[in-house]
Amino acid sequence: QQQVKQSPQSLIVQKGGIPIINCAYENTAFDYFPWYQQFPGKGPALLIAIRPDVSEKKEGRFTISFNKSAKQFSLHIMDSQPGDSATYFCAASSSASKIIFGSGTRLSIRP
Amino acid sequence: DAGITQSPRYKITETGRQVTLMCHQTWSHSYMFWYRQDLGHGLRLIYYSAAADITDKGEVPDGYVVSRSKTENFPLTLESATRSQTSVYFCASRPGSNTGELFFGEGSRLTVL
């Protein structure tokens, strides 16, 4: 049973555009929602994370929007750059459950 | 250097052979994890360990064996490799419980012929 659904599977955006990656979860006990960024040949690394007591979190050009009632959260990348080209994974967990990852989004930023 | 290291980085083996992927971390993190990454499936948890001598199954444990005799090491063994186990394997660690940052190794790409 896939508990975290991520879309789209791939995304191409022009430099300066705002790619948006969406995730939906099922388990209402989840209380920690991180995003991981992975470059080719490397392991994933934590990019930004949010807890459900806030609706938005910004770190630099990266923003998480969180909708608790809809059980959805999304990643927005402002002023996207070619160096942002990577695979992005959303994830969810709680103190009582292991972290569950989405299926990943391969993002390509065209110059 | 401190961190989490995996070996080998690349491995080609044949069906039926035993393969062991090594994972070593220098942070003394309590939790360690093994994931496999396949296109369209994201990262799927194979096994994890909360401390030395404590291991538990994840989402896809069949065909894999783990052990954790020391806090810093968490080897993953494929007792009889199958083609479906061709994948990229990632080891990860975390100091605390179920929330908080996971620190990943650089991965081990395994091909089973």
Side-chain angles (χ1 to χ4, degrees), chain A residues 36 38 42 94-95 98, chain B residues 35 37 48 90 98 102 106:
Chain A
Y36 282 80
Q38 182 185 31
K42 301 294 185 181
S94 73
S95 59
K98 298 175 287 293
Chain B
Y35 289 88
Q37 182 177 9
Y48 69 103
F90 287 98
N98 283 320
L102 278 173
E106 295 203 318

Side-chain angles (χ1 to χ4, degrees), chain B residues 64-111:
Chain B
Y64 302 95
V65 175
V66 294
S67 62
R68 195 162 176 212
S69 58
K70 294 183 177 181
T71 299
E72 61 267 29
N73 297 324
F74 191 39
L76 176 73
T77 298
L78 289 67
E79 293 190 306
S80 179
T82 65
R83 289 194 181 89
S84 65
Q85 293 178 309
T86 292
S87 186
V88 181
Y89 292 86
F90 287 98
C91 180
S93 71
R94 179 166 58 201
S97 60
N98 283 320
T99 58
E101 182 175 0
L102 278 173
F103 295 85
F104 283 87
E106 295 203 318
S108 294
R109 181 177 292 274
L110 176 68
T111 301

Side-chain angles (χ1 to χ4, degrees), chain A residues 15-57:
Chain A
K15 177 183 174 182
I18 304 176
I20 301 172
I21 304 171
N22 299 298
C23 285
Y25 62 97
E26 300 170 3
N27 188 343
T28 55
F30 287 148
D31 60 5
Y32 176 69
F33 302 90
W35 285 88
Y36 282 80
Q37 180 188 54
Q38 182 185 31
F39 293 107
K42 301 294 185 181
L46 181 66
L47 181 65
I48 185 173
I50 195 169
R51 294 191 184 272
D53 52 343
V54 296
S55 61
E56 185 177 277
K57 183 175 182 180

